[in-house]
Amino acid sequence: MRIEDKNKTKCKNLPFYLPNSWTCLNAQGPGPFVTKATLKNSKGELIHWDSRHNRKHNFKFDTSVGSTWWAPGAIGWWIGILFFHRIYIFLQLELFLHI
């Protein structure tokens, strides 16, 4: 299989839909997965897409920026608070039951 054919197949496996005026020029990744892609928009500009950046900087659930000590807008902050709360309750029960 030629490289151009592989790119066309990989471009079909993008994890998002492209607008009709956009084209996929190159797509890379292991197996059927796409981890990097080069796209061309309707203005002719090249856009480099990276799956890691998309995963790590997806702000649908994360609305805060700045300090992580007080960040109630961040989903990771709430997960940490709930985790700490469960540990605290567990330790209180252990102390209470062993006294």
Side-chain angles (χ1 to χ4, degrees), residues 21-40:
S21 58
W22 288 43
T23 55
C24 175
L25 302 176
N26 185 16
Q28 301 170 353
F33 305 106
V34 177
T35 56
K36 293 181 183 182
T38 304
L39 311 168
K40 190 177 200 180

Side-chain angles (χ1 to χ4, degrees), residues 6-14 16 18 23-27 34 38-39:
K6 284 184 180 181
N7 281 337
K8 288 179 185 177
T9 304
K10 287 270 190 180
C11 283
K12 292 178 184 176
N13 292 336
L14 288 174
F16 51 86
L18 287 177
T23 55
C24 175
L25 302 176
N26 185 16
V34 177
T38 304
L39 311 168

Side-chain angles (χ1 to χ4, degrees), residues 33-95:
F33 305 106
V34 177
T35 56
K36 293 181 183 182
T38 304
L39 311 168
K40 190 177 200 180
N41 67 7
S42 57
K43 296 178 184 177
E45 300 168 334
L46 292 179
I47 288 103
H48 299 285
W49 177 82
D50 181 17
S51 65
R52 178 173 176 80
H53 181 77
N54 191 50
R55 281 192 329 271
K56 300 296 181 182
H57 297 96
N58 191 352
F59 293 110
K60 289 180 183 175
F61 296 116
D62 198 359
T63 59
S64 73
V65 282
S67 175
T68 55
W69 285 105
W70 181 254
I75 192 167
W77 186 81
W78 284 106
I79 291 169
I81 292 296
L82 292 173
F83 181 74
F84 175 77
H85 183 67
R86 297 294 291 271
I87 290 174
Y88 179 76
I89 290 173
F90 177 74
L91 289 175
Q92 292 297 320
L93 287 172
E94 283 291 318
L95 289 174

